[in-house]
Amino acid sequence: FEALCSVVIMMNCAMMGVQAHEDATLVLTKPWVVFLQVMEHVFTSFFLAELILRVKAFGIKTLLPSHGAGCWNLVDAFLVLVTGVLLNWIIPLFALIFNVDLGGQILGMLMVLRAIRLTRIIRLFRDIPMFREAWVLIRGLGDSSRTLFWTIIVIFMVTYGFAIFGMSI
């Protein structure tokens, strides 16, 4: 079951990349756009079924932070319910019922939340032994985030200083 979920997560990430390319370039034909929309609903359905099966098999306590993998399961539940069910099904349904136009900035801002779904790929790196080295790198980045933050600040200040110096010459 975990292997199937991992494959679906990777496929979902790939489809999100294709959707982002389409949103930026608008080069895909209408059948491809419809295919991407259908796949979005398929992935949402699969991830909702996965969430329901996990809760049914392990109980609701599996979503609690005190549980072993509770934090990850809680994040997964949030991603499925908010970026999947809410954005793909509930909001468009309300827009249809109340005849509200969701085009433009409002829906665009909400769709940015879909990008958060890419964090599910971190679970793959953590759980699959083949990606053990990648998981060590990800953990290393997380552990060194404070140092990286200050490195970026120092690089910005040096670049800013040289830019001011260069403009004054």
Side-chain angles (χ1 to χ4, degrees), residues 19-35:
Q19 283 177 327
H21 177 72
E22 165 57 22
D23 291 345
T25 61
L26 301 173
V27 296
L28 293 180
T29 60
K30 183 72 173 168
W32 272 103
V33 173
V34 170
F35 171 74

Side-chain angles (χ1 to χ4, degrees), residues 89-108:
W89 295 341
I90 295 175
I91 291 177
L93 181 65
F94 275 106
L96 184 66
I97 291 171
F98 297 113
N99 199 20
V100 176
D101 181 28
L102 288 179
Q105 294 179 336
I106 296 172
L107 191 60

Side-chain angles (χ1 to χ4, degrees), residues 14-58:
M15 287 293 172
M16 287 176 63
V18 172
Q19 283 177 327
H21 177 72
E22 165 57 22
D23 291 345
T25 61
L26 301 173
V27 296
L28 293 180
T29 60
K30 183 72 173 168
W32 272 103
V33 173
V34 170
F35 171 74
L36 291 175
Q37 291 170 344
V38 168
M39 288 306 295
E40 188 68 30
H41 293 291
V42 169
F43 288 127
T44 300
S45 301
F46 179 84
F47 292 138
L48 183 61
E50 176 200 11
L51 176 64
I52 291 169
L53 288 174
R54 281 188 194 280
V55 169
K56 202 152 190 75
F58 302 113

